[in-house]
Amino acid sequence: MLGHSHATSGALAWSAAAAALPLTLMTYPAMQSGSIAAVDLVMGTFLTAGAALLPDADHPKGTISHVLGPVSHYACRLINMISGGHRHGTHSLLFVALVTYGTWAGEHWIGRNFTIALCFFLLALAIKALNLAPSGDGIKSWGTVVILATAGTFAIDHWISDKPAWLPFCVGLGALAHLIGDCLTDRGCRLLWPLKVRTRFPIIDRTGNKVETLIVVPLFALATLALLWYTITTHQP
């Protein structure tokens, strides 16, 4: 699947979870009760869209590789070597667990600086994947991403708490949505990495085909908006 497909699937997964799951599950292990605030719901949508790109940190030519110019490109090349190549270590359930726990640990051990930095990076991924910046890997592209992500982060900084209890769930859900999407292709994923067995349900015959770009992505976007509207109007006072 392409970057925008992963991003919209992550946004859809978050909006569906917010509509269907109790807040205690979405904020585990904090186990907060009640309902998620509308502003957190909207922030979570964009951040989960960005988190849905994280497993492709092993792809030197993927969307995530070009999001922050040479910095992200060389980081992806390093991760590619460490993880064993594309769709190996970072495309596993272990990776989902690591990014989820890593987010929780960063919030609690480092604090607000970690939260804001993570929000900036996830926003940058969402902006790049959703084609809100010029295409390509030049400075015009990633420079625009940096400017937009910085502006968005300033806005988030005004609303987000130091340790948002829903953020680890948001990051883990986005990564999991990516894996599910890739398992729908013929190559599949090594969900149980380092075991070599691949999980695949080849529904998508070719990445980037017209069905994906002209039907699936718009449907994901519309469903996300519908679920956000339902959740905000139904569960908010």
Side-chain angles (χ1 to χ4, degrees), residues 18 22 27 42 63-64 78-79 82 103 105 125 133 135 152 158-159 162 169 174 176 180 191 194 197:
T27 57
V42 174
T63 301
I64 189 173
L78 177 62
I79 294 172
I82 295 174
T103 301
L125 290 176
S135 59
H158 180 72
W159 298 104
D162 290 345
F169 178 87
L176 181 61
I180 293 173
L191 295 182
V197 60

Side-chain angles (χ1 to χ4, degrees), residues 98-108 114-115 118 164 167-169 171-172:
L98 287 175
V99 294
T100 303
Y101 175 75
T103 301
W104 179 87
E107 284 185 333
H108 287 77
F114 172 86
T115 299
L118 179 60
L167 188 56
F169 178 87
V171 173

Side-chain angles (χ1 to χ4, degrees), residues 22-35 161 163-166:
L23 187 62
T24 50
L25 181 59
M26 296 176 65
T27 57
Y28 181 86
M31 303 292 285
Q32 293 183 356
S33 59
S35 60
S161 63
K163 303 174 182 178
W166 48 265

Side-chain angles (χ1 to χ4, degrees), residues 84-88 91 182-183 185-193 195-201:
H86 184 44
R87 293 204 188 186
H88 288 77
H91 283 67
D182 277 355
C183 283
T185 65
D186 183 64
R187 188 176 178 186
C189 294
R190 292 173 59 182
L191 295 182
L192 301 179
W193 183 90
L195 300 181
K196 293 184 178 181
V197 60
R198 285 187 178 271
T199 302
R200 68 191 83 185
F201 304 95

Side-chain angles (χ1 to χ4, degrees), residues 123-134:
L123 274 182
L125 290 176
I127 290 167
K128 181 66 175 178
L130 295 174
N131 299 320
L132 301 178

Side-chain angles (χ1 to χ4, degrees), residues 1-14 48-59 62-64 86-93 95-96 99 125 129 170-185 188-191 199 204 207 212 220:
M1 297 179 72
L2 297 178
H4 55 267
S5 302
H6 285 305
T8 52
S9 71
L12 177 58
W14 167 261
T48 310
L53 276 292
L54 290 176
D56 272 349
D58 65 358
H59 193 350
T63 301
I64 189 173
H86 184 44
R87 293 204 188 186
H88 288 77
T90 65
H91 283 67
S92 67
L93 296 176
F95 179 78
V96 174
V99 294
L125 290 176
C170 159
V171 173
L173 181 63
L176 181 61
H178 183 113
L179 302 192
I180 293 173
D182 277 355
C183 283
L184 300 181
T185 65
C189 294
R190 292 173 59 182
L191 295 182
T199 302
I204 301 174
T207 297
E212 179 183 343
F220 280 0

